[in-house]
């Protein structure tokens, strides 16, 4: 046969086989839906998180001054200073460095007292950037009628600046100042946009700048820039900014969760694929008998594999896009709260995510298909023991040695792997228990469970993995919430917090001398770096009594010895995440100033990704570091009334009422911030749980579909519907109870691994183990409810079939 | 004793009502063995399923050993079915149970505590002694049908209904199975009603009835 005719025969065969496969899917739409939905959901989760992460990074690195080139360097104010002298920019221009653009940021208040963050940029550059891009049609319309006194505000902040009747709310400006024209638009973000001169006018910045963005420049220009900024500002590499360093753990955590979701979803698909393959076995055998070559059948399977991978990747990316958009608000709140991320995330369609999903799906499907080949089946035992040995060995090693994010996560993966490997063995052992029943129905139930459990074990493994992960997440989130609550209770022990940006010694003295005041502490901080890691140095007062709300990891109280001999306290993160040890001498660097101290102890500190040092007020003041004064914390005498003292602060001490925060309000803000941190985690967790429940439901229903014939026989032989229902309920309940029994140890093991390894290594926080018993019970009850439904549905189907006859 | 009076049964088919049995009357005295003959679609299996309580008649009455089936509810019909014996063309064995468990199934359903005295004799007669631990899929068609017969007879029913039990067997095995079935039923004074297409097999029965156009000829 010629090569051409061989190809024609093969292509004909492949077409024939493919059309048979299509016909199979046409007749089994649910199997196809299960197959597709499993892979799509998995890749959706991964692509959603990957998309959010990439978007956050690129948004953070995007130019605030709307430079068309990527920002490579920033000229920032000296640490501890808020502004750069505008002269720096003029000097840069004079030196021929034109790829530098100034940005001025600040906050203005409306007459209703609401804050609005504004950002001034070079308008001409902005107009050029908008005109060059057709992707912002809404903003383009404003370029046509641009005025220098116009303020573009994102629609999401409309309520701050526009009243219900559509009128602009005036800004609180000095007498005689002109009000800017307010225009609402989309995708502007947190910072309302205006011309640099207008921002200067509104903020009263007197020619000062917040930062200058720089795009590509030569080495010679770099030397020039360093000379110009020396002592006035600092040149910072854009890639090394705090956000990337600090948010890494957060996105790592989400990515790990998404990967877990993919594993669960792949299990869901594995079940569907196995069903599809076993259902098609006869079909493939028949095709082979009728003369189709193995090559043709294999080729058709490969084409199907690629098509399904691509199709599910596109659906997954589409779902991922929707999920990312649904999560973007919560994520944004977290990024703003934890990492001072100042831009609105806008999720755009990314083809690279389709490619990622395609690659993942193809790999997962290939692994599943290959695992079903006779050759692999032949070495299954060998592979099982190898995997078991590797997982066990690696798990034990990591238990003692895990020191990085990836190693901590690998430990979780080892625990998961161990369970994946041993669960089928436990199931096999359970069903081979030599139980004897004289009741024929119990006998059938036992034999049938044994018979079908091998079909169900993939679903049970998927459930164990998904539920175990979900339970561990519940444990982690609850433990964190409980720990945080206790921490806030001691940390925020003052009754009133008074915010003010200047230290007024007279006010402090006057407040301290009041009979209804027990203690007045201050809160001042300096920003800087310890070995290039973002750090803050803080002080609350000169006496030990100002530091008694600090919880030391040693369990003791803060005493004189902690601050003696250049002593300072460091947060737990410094020890766990950044490897500092007690008695270490550290150098806190701010611009060209250096503050050296000896770490005398560590304290618990949640929510701060960087290093925090505590020292005495006097030592802090003597350090010559730039400081920011945050305010006072006031503890009242036992008999004093909070409301009455707040009133006195306003009337007698002439303090702004909006700057007085009672303890409860402060705690609420702190709790909201931390709850936001875990909103995305909770949502993803819920999603994984939903996928797992879908997996369980479909597996139990597919088991029931296979059982329908057997149930009909039992019915024909005189078993009543009630008895059938009781039997099915008993069977599914036992399966679920067995699943729960296997899930709880996994959930606990993973929860402990997350609390003892992942959280401390990734975030630097020690969290005490606190399982959420209520949520655990609720999860188990949900499972039982799904099981009951899955038991009832086939009986209903059988009844309908009988009635239809 | 079976008495069927004015039995009507119809089935909805594509929006039209299709009459299967029309005013059918049948009387089968105690222990009589009846072969039901008829063309495909004549209503033989329907009549058998009505006698087994698997279908409900549109009208008429079915008296089986003083049980009026048409008045029984679902639960009563279940209890009735476990008292009779059923033999199917496709054997209807429980695939996860062994041969022993399959044979004992209905007996234990009726009398969980009672030992099956006849078990050894029946199994011996049917030649299944060596197959008791096997699973149904490990047996030949003839063997599976013999397991079905053993299951149908072990609990000493007064009525055995067999729906083309030889439909999947060759002629030689068909004769063996029918001979065995009729002999065992005769020994135990059991009413046997068997649906078949074969006139040759019908010769083993006391009475032969032929169904045509929804009624007996």
């Amino acid at each position: 046969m010629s090569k051409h005719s061989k190809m024609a025969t093969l292509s004909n065969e492949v077409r024939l086989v493919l059309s048979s496969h299509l016909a199979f899917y046409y007749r089994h739409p649910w199997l196809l839906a299960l197959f597709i939905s499993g892979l799509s959901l998995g890749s959706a989760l991964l692509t959603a998180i990957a998309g959010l992460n990439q978007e956050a990074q690129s948004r953070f690195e995007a130019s605030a001054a709307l430079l068309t080139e990527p920002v490579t360097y920033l000229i920032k104010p000296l640490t501890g200073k808020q502004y750069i002298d505008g002269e720096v920019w003029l000097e840069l221009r004079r030196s021929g460095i034109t790829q530098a653009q100034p940005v001025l940021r600040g906050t203005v208040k409306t007459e209703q007292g609401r804050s609005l963050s504004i950002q001034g940029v070079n308008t001409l550059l902005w107009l050029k950037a908008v005109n060059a891009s057709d992707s912002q049609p809404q903003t383009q319309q404003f370029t046509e009628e641009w005025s220098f006194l116009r303020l573009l505000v994102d629609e999401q902040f409309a309520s701050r600046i526009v009243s219900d009747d559509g009128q602009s709310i005036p800004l609180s400006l000095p007498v005689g100042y002109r009000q800017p024209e307010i225009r609402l638009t989309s995708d502007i973000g947190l910072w309302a946009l205006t011309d640099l001169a207008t921002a200067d006018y509104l903020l009263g910045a007197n020619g000062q700048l917040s930062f200058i963005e720089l795009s590509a420049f030569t080495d010679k220009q770099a030397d020039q820039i360093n000379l110009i900024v020396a002592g006035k500002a600092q040149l910072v590499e854009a890639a090394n900014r705090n956000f990337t360093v600090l948010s890494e753990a957060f996105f790592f955590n989400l990515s790990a969760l998404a990967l877990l979701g993919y594993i669960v979803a792949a299990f869901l698909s594995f079940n569907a694929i196995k069903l599809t393959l076993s259902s098609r076995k006869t079909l493939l055998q028949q095709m082979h008998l009728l003369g189709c070559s193995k090559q043709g059948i294999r080729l058709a399977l490969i084409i199907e594999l690629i098509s399904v991978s691509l199709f599910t990747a596109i659906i997954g990316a589409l779902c991922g896009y929707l999920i990312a958009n649904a999560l973007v608000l919560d994520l944004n709140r977290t990024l703003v709260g934890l990492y001072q991320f100042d831009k609105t995330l806008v999720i755009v369609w990314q083809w690279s995510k389709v490619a990622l999903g395609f690659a993942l799906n193809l790999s997962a499907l290939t692994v599943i298909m290959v695992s079903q080949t006779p050759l692999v089946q032949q070495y299954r035992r060998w592979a099982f023991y190898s995997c078991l040995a590797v997982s066990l060995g690696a798990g034990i090693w990591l238990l003692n040695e895990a020191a990085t994010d990836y190693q901590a996560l690998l430990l979780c993966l080892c625990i998961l792997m161990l369970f994946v490997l041993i669960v089928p063995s436990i199931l096999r052992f359970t069903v081979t228990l030599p139980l004897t029943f004289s009741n024929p129905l119990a006998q059938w139930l036992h034999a049938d469970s044994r018979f079908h459990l091998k079909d169900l074990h993939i679903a049970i493994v998927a459930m164990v993995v998904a539920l175990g992960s979900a339970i561990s997440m519940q444990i982690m989130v609850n433990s964190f919430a409980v720990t945080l609550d206790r921490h806030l209770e001691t940390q925020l022990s003052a009754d009133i917090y008074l915010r003010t940006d200047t230290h007024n010694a007279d006010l402090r003295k006057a407040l301290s001398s009041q009979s209804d005041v027990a203690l007045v502490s201050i809160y001042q901080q300096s920003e800087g770096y310890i070995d290039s890691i973002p750090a803050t140095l803080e002080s609350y007062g000169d006496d030990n009594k100002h530091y008694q709300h600090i919880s030391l990891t040693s369990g003791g109280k803060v005493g004189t010895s902690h601050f003696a001999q250049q002593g300072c306290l460091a947060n737990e993160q410094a020890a766990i995440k950044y490897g500092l040890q007690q008695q270490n001498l550290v150098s806190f660097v701010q611009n060209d100033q250096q503050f050296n101290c000896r770490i005398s102890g560590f304290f618990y500190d949640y929510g701060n990704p960087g290093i925090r040092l505590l020292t005495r007020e006097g030592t802090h003041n003597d350090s010559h570091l730039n400081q920011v004064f945050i305010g006072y914390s006031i503890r009242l005498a036992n008999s004093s009334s909070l409301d009455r003292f707040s009133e006195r602060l306003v009337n007698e001490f002439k303090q702004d009422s909006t700057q007085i925060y009672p303890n409860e309000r402060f705690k609420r803000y702190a709790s909201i911030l931390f709850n936001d941190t875990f909103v995305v985690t909770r949502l993803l967790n819920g999603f994984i749980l939903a996928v797992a429940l879908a997996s369980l439901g479909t597996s139990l229903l597919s088991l029931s579909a296979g059982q329908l014939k057997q149930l009909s026989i039992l019915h024909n032989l005189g078993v009543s519907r009630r008895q059938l229902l009781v039997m099915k309920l008993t069977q599914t309940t036992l399966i679920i109870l067995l699943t729960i029994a296997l899930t709880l140890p996994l959930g606990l093991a993973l929860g402990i691994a997350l609390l003892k390894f992942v959280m401390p290594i990734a975030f630097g926080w020690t969290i005490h183990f606190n399982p959420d018993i209520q949520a655990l019970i609720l999860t188990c009850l949900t499972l039982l409810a799904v099981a009951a439904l899955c038991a009832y549905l086939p009986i209903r189907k059988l009844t309908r079939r009988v009635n239809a006859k | 004793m079976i008495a069927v009076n004015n039995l009507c049964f119809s089935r909805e088919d594509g929006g039209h009502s299709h009459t299967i049995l029309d005013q059918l009357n049948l009387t089968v005295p105690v222990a009589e063995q009846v072969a039901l003959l008829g063309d495909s679609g004549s209503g033989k299996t329907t009549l058998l399923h009505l006698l087994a309580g698997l279908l409900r008649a549109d009208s008429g009455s079915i008296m089986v050993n003083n049980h009026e089936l048409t008045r029984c509810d679902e639960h009563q019909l279940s209890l009735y079915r476990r008292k009779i014996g059923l033999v199917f063309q496709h054997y209807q064995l429980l695939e996860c149970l062994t041969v022993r468990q399959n044979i004992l199934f209905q007996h234990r359903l009726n009398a969980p505590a009672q030992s099956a005295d006849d078990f050894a004799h029946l199994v011996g007669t049917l030649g299944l002694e060596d197959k008791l631990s096997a699973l149904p899929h490990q047996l030949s068609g003839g063997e599976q049908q013999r397991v079905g017969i053993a299951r149908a007879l072990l609990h000493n029913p007064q009525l055995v209904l067999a729906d083309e039990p030889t439909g999947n067997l060759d002629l030689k095995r068909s004769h063996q199975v029918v001979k065995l079935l009729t002999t065992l039923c005769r020994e135990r004074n059991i009413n046997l009603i068997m649906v078949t297409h074969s006139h040759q097999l019908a010769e083993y029965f006391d009475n032969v009835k032929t169904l045509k156009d929804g009624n007996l000829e």
Side-chain angles (χ1 to χ4, degrees):
Chain A
M1 199 188 280
S2 72
K3 198 176 173 185
H4 179 74
S5 67
K6 265 185 186 172
M7 283 301 289
T9 312
L10 187 64
S11 115
N12 190 38
E13 264 180 44
V14 170
R15 259 207 312 272
L16 203 66
V17 176
L18 278 174
S19 61
S20 309
H21 290 181
L22 274 176
F24 173 84
Y25 284 129
Y26 183 72
R27 280 197 308 277
H28 298 89
W30 284 107
L31 211 52
L32 178 67
L34 199 63
F35 190 166
I36 300 286
S37 61
L39 282 179
S40 305
L41 285 176
S43 52
L45 273 182
L46 265 185
T47 51
I49 296 305
L52 281 167
N53 192 358
Q54 190 179 317
E55 186 60 30
Q57 294 290 344
S58 60
R59 279 271 158 175
F60 200 86
E61 278 159 24
S63 164
L66 301 157
L67 288 174
T68 44
E69 297 287 319
V71 178
T72 50
Y73 277 84
L74 286 173
I75 296 174
K76 284 174 67 178
L78 289 172
T79 313
K81 296 278 184 194
Q82 214 180 343
Y83 293 112
I84 314 170
D85 193 334
E87 190 59 35
V88 174
W89 182 56
L90 294 174
E91 192 68 34
L92 287 169
R93 303 286 294 188
R94 279 198 286 270
S95 306
I97 299 161
T98 51
Q99 61 274 45
Q101 287 301 330
V103 179
L104 172 63
R105 283 178 173 175
T107 307
V108 287
K109 291 220 165 185
T110 63
E111 285 185 353
Q112 291 183 347
R114 305 198 70 178
S115 301
L116 188 71
S117 301
I118 65 168
Q119 170 173 291
V121 296
N122 182 345
T123 314
L124 294 175
L125 195 78
W126 188 72
L127 289 176
K128 198 174 131 198
V130 171
N131 281 330
S133 158
D134 292 333
S135 61
Q136 291 168 290
Q138 249 189 300
T139 46
Q140 188 141 11
Q141 76 183 65
F142 295 105
T143 65
E144 290 157 9
E145 39 171 334
W146 176 261
S147 113
F148 282 102
L149 208 63
R150 179 157 297 161
L151 187 61
L152 295 183
V153 181
D154 198 295
E155 281 161 351
Q156 61 176 315
F157 302 113
S159 60
R160 295 191 179 193
I161 195 77
V162 179
S163 61
D164 293 341
D165 56 3
Q167 296 295 310
S168 297
I169 300 168
L171 296 178
S172 176
L173 297 171
V175 182
Y177 268 50
R178 271 188 70 186
Q179 289 288 338
E181 290 173 37
I182 306 294
R183 280 299 169 101
L184 296 177
T185 184
S186 58
D187 297 353
I188 288 278
L190 301 176
W191 297 95
L193 205 59
T194 188
D195 181 69
L196 187 65
T198 312
D200 186 276
Y201 174 74
L202 295 173
L203 295 167
N206 297 323
Q208 298 185 101
L209 301 170
S210 297
F211 55 90
I212 299 167
E213 290 185 341
L214 295 160
S215 53
F217 52 82
T218 62
D219 289 346
K220 197 180 157 195
Q221 283 177 321
D223 293 340
Q224 270 181 298
I225 296 167
N226 274 320
L227 269 176
I228 294 167
V229 302
K232 299 173 199 163
Q234 53 181 331
L235 187 65
V236 184
E237 221 178 312
N240 282 344
R241 275 179 291 168
N242 298 357
F243 177 73
T244 320
V245 179
L246 300 179
S247 69
E248 199 181 16
F250 176 70
F251 276 108
F252 176 79
N253 186 22
L254 290 187
S255 304
L257 201 56
L259 190 67
L260 201 66
Y262 188 85
I263 294 172
V264 173
F267 269 112
L268 171 67
S269 284
F270 188 75
N271 215 21
I273 293 162
K274 263 194 92 169
L275 282 171
T276 313
L277 286 178
S278 66
S279 308
R280 273 198 316 200
K281 216 170 178 175
T282 323
L283 186 72
L284 293 174
Q285 278 168 352
Q286 283 166 344
M287 282 193 281
H288 188 52
L289 279 174
L290 292 171
C292 287
S293 67
K294 280 191 173 168
Q295 191 190 6
I297 294 172
R298 208 173 293 139
L299 198 60
L301 275 174
I302 292 169
I303 294 172
E304 186 185 334
L305 195 86
I306 294 170
S307 314
V308 169
S309 301
L310 186 65
F311 183 58
T312 49
I314 293 171
I315 295 183
L318 196 68
C319 294
Y321 174 74
L322 296 174
I323 293 169
N325 270 301
L327 294 180
V328 73
L329 278 180
D330 294 314
L331 194 72
N332 220 58
R333 272 209 301 274
T334 308
L335 295 178
V336 170
L338 275 187
Y339 309 110
Q340 286 74 53
F341 185 78
D342 57 3
K343 296 187 178 78
T344 303
L345 292 186
V346 179
I347 306 301
V348 291
W349 176 260
Q350 296 162 338
W351 280 104
S352 61
K353 298 296 162 278
V354 177
L356 172 75
F358 175 64
L360 270 168
N361 292 344
L362 197 61
S363 321
L365 281 175
T366 310
V367 167
I368 293 169
M369 293 273 193
V370 169
S371 71
Q372 300 303 301
T373 57
L375 189 71
V376 175
Q377 294 284 326
Q378 200 183 332
Y379 292 107
R380 222 169 60 172
R381 211 170 179 76
W382 182 85
F384 170 80
Y385 285 114
S386 306
C387 289
L388 191 68
V390 168
S391 308
L392 208 59
I396 292 169
W397 184 80
L398 289 166
L399 212 58
N400 295 304
E401 304 291 333
T404 65
D405 301 357
Y406 287 97
Q407 285 173 346
L409 198 71
L410 209 59
L411 175 65
C412 294
L413 209 64
C414 283
I415 295 172
L416 268 179
M417 193 67 193
L418 277 174
F419 270 81
V420 167
L421 289 169
I422 61 171
V423 162
S425 306
I426 295 174
L427 291 176
R428 266 196 299 276
F429 170 75
T430 313
V431 293
T432 48
L433 282 175
L435 299 172
T436 45
F437 299 96
S438 57
N439 183 307
L441 297 183
Q443 210 169 51
W444 177 83
L445 199 67
H446 181 238
D448 183 77
S449 305
R450 199 166 56 185
F451 200 73
H452 283 107
L453 216 58
K454 67 171 187 282
D455 297 333
L456 261 186
H457 84 255
I458 290 292
I460 292 179
V461 170
M463 273 309 292
V464 169
V465 170
L467 266 179
S469 318
I471 287 172
S472 67
M473 288 292 158
Q474 278 175 352
I475 289 173
M476 185 185 78
V477 173
N478 191 64
S479 301
F480 188 81
V482 171
T483 308
L484 182 74
D485 216 40
R486 284 182 196 153
H487 174 71
L488 289 179
E489 203 57 46
T490 51
Q491 185 82 4
L492 303 175
S493 56
D495 297 300
I496 292 177
Y497 294 89
L498 175 63
R499 288 206 65 161
T500 166
D501 50 8
T502 49
H503 179 215
N504 184 337
D506 294 336
L507 174 68
R508 187 174 169 189
K509 199 174 168 189
L511 286 173
S512 303
S513 64
Q514 300 303 309
S515 60
D516 43 2
V517 171
L519 183 69
V520 177
S521 304
I522 58 156
Y523 180 23
Q524 60 180 10
Q525 69 172 34
S526 298
E527 288 188 354
Y529 292 88
I530 295 174
D531 294 334
S532 308
I533 301 157
T536 58
L537 177 70
E538 297 170 10
S539 58
Y540 307 140
D542 256 332
D543 202 282
N544 290 340
K545 62 186 178 190
H546 298 290
Y547 297 86
Q548 292 312 302
H549 59 287
I550 297 295
S551 308
L552 294 177
T553 54
S554 60
K557 292 272 179 195
V558 177
T560 315
S561 61
H562 287 113
F563 298 116
Q565 295 167 333
Q566 279 190 297
C568 64
L569 293 166
N571 61 352
E572 199 189 12
Q573 289 83 318
I576 298 174
K577 205 174 168 198
Y578 304 110
L580 298 182
Q581 289 178 351
Q582 208 156 331
Q583 304 306 332
N584 272 175
L585 281 172
V586 291
S587 265
F588 179 88
V589 180
Q590 186 192 67
N591 311 317
D592 48 359
Q593 290 292 333
Q594 198 167 316
F595 172 78
N596 297 321
C597 77
R598 176 186 54 86
I599 295 176
S600 56
F602 293 99
F603 61 92
Y604 291 113
D605 177 26
Y606 297 98
N608 190 344
I611 299 177
R612 262 176 88 196
L613 295 179
L614 290 187
T615 187
R616 278 197 173 145
E617 187 186 353
T619 319
H620 195 175
N621 291 341
D622 294 343
S623 66
H624 305 294
L625 297 167
N626 293 323
Q627 294 169 6
V628 178
F629 192 79
I630 311 284
Y632 305 94
S633 58
I634 304 163
R635 192 176 303 157
L636 300 177
N638 285 341
S639 56
S640 308
S641 150
L642 187 72
D643 292 338
R644 203 177 310 139
F645 193 75
S646 299
E647 272 176 39
R648 284 188 65 199
L649 278 175
V650 176
N651 301 327
E652 209 174 306
F653 296 97
K654 307 295 176 210
Q655 294 302 308
D656 183 354
S657 63
T658 60
Q659 299 301 312
I660 299 169
Y661 297 88
N663 179 311
E664 284 308 313
R665 210 161 99 206
F666 217 75
K667 268 186 201 163
R668 204 168 60 237
Y669 288 152
S671 298
I672 287 169
L673 169 65
F674 289 108
N675 280 334
D676 282 347
T677 313
F678 282 104
V679 161
V680 183
T681 311
R682 279 202 188 105
L683 284 175
L684 280 181
N685 204 23
F687 204 73
I688 291 175
L689 203 61
V691 171
L693 284 175
S695 166
L696 175 80
T698 47
S699 300
L700 287 176
L701 287 176
S702 58
L703 165 75
S704 303
Q707 260 181 346
L708 214 56
K709 194 179 155 200
Q710 295 287 296
L711 293 174
S712 298
I713 297 173
L714 289 172
H715 187 246
N716 290 347
L717 293 175
V719 180
S720 69
R721 260 181 297 166
R722 194 187 161 84
Q723 282 174 310
L724 287 177
L725 187 61
V726 171
M727 278 160 65
K728 274 298 295 174
L729 266 176
T730 311
Q731 189 180 50
T732 42
T733 307
L734 286 174
I735 289 171
I736 294 303
L737 288 177
L738 187 63
T739 308
I740 291 171
L742 292 166
T743 297
L744 286 178
L746 174 64
L748 291 174
L750 278 178
I752 291 169
L754 282 171
L755 292 179
K756 300 287 172 210
F757 292 90
V758 178
M759 291 296 278
I761 291 171
F763 293 101
W765 305 332
T766 303
I767 295 171
H768 304 290
F769 184 76
N770 269 300
D772 186 353
I773 304 291
Q774 210 176 347
L776 278 178
I777 293 172
L778 194 69
T779 309
C780 295
L781 287 177
T782 312
L783 275 178
L784 286 172
V786 170
L789 185 72
C790 291
Y792 169 71
L793 286 176
I795 303 299
R796 198 181 69 159
K797 196 171 175 184
L798 182 74
T799 311
R800 276 187 177 174
R801 195 179 275 189
V802 170
N803 289 343
K805 272 186 187 172
Chain B
M1 163 86 179
I2 298 164
V4 175
N5 291 310
N6 300 321
L7 190 67
C8 292
F9 185 83
S10 55
R11 182 169 289 177
E12 287 294 318
D13 190 5
H16 300 286
S17 180
H18 179 61
T19 303
I20 310 281
L21 301 176
D22 186 16
Q23 302 284 329
L24 184 136
N25 292 296
L26 168 72
T27 305
V28 182
V30 174
E32 189 180 66
Q33 301 191 340
V34 179
L36 270 178
L37 288 169
D39 297 335
S40 295
S42 60
K44 305 182 296 293
T45 300
T46 304
L47 176 59
L48 206 74
H49 283 187
L50 284 163
L51 289 171
L54 289 167
L55 293 176
R56 283 183 176 277
D58 297 339
S59 61
S61 72
I62 306 168
M63 288 286 286
V64 179
N65 300 326
N66 298 323
H67 277 90
E68 173 51 271
L69 296 191
T70 52
R71 288 194 200 141
C72 288
D73 62 18
E74 182 59 35
H75 182 66
Q76 286 167 324
L77 285 176
S78 292
L79 294 177
Y80 160 74
R81 270 201 304 278
R82 61 178 75 166
K83 301 281 179 203
I84 64 172
L86 290 161
V87 184
F88 301 93
Q89 182 184 354
H90 297 293
Y91 325 126
Q92 303 273 21
L93 301 179
L94 296 161
E95 60 189 20
C96 56
L97 299 184
T98 61
V99 166
R100 174 191 292 276
Q101 289 168 330
N102 261 293
I103 295 172
L104 285 167
F105 189 88
Q106 226 172 341
H107 169 78
R108 287 183 171 160
L109 204 59
N110 281 300
Q114 207 172 319
S115 65
D117 301 331
D118 208 14
F119 181 80
H121 172 67
L122 197 60
V123 164
T125 312
L126 288 161
L128 293 169
E129 304 101 316
D130 302 335
K131 305 286 180 184
L132 292 177
S133 301
L135 287 166
H137 72 268
Q138 295 167 322
L139 303 180
S140 69
E143 285 169 336
Q144 288 193 50
Q145 196 53 289
R146 278 184 274 153
V147 175
I149 292 169
R151 179 178 68 185
L153 296 177
L154 187 67
H155 59 291
N156 286 321
Q158 288 178 296
L159 168 66
V160 168
L161 299 168
D163 187 8
E164 294 191 58
T166 58
N168 281 346
L169 304 176
D170 61 38
L171 193 62
K172 191 180 162 195
R173 291 221 181 277
S174 299
H175 277 275
Q176 281 174 354
V177 164
V178 174
K179 198 173 168 185
L180 208 57
L181 183 62
T182 47
T183 309
L184 287 168
C185 286
R186 203 158 281 138
E187 278 173 8
R188 291 165 163 76
N189 284 330
I190 294 172
N191 270 131
L192 171 66
I193 299 179
M194 186 179 98
V195 166
T196 180
H197 282 285
S198 167
H199 287 272
Q200 280 184 328
L201 295 177
E203 285 174 13
Y204 289 96
F205 289 76
D206 304 330
N207 202 345
V208 177
K209 304 273 184 191
T210 307
L211 261 165
K212 196 176 179 188
D213 298 332
N215 221 317
L216 291 169
E217 276 189 337

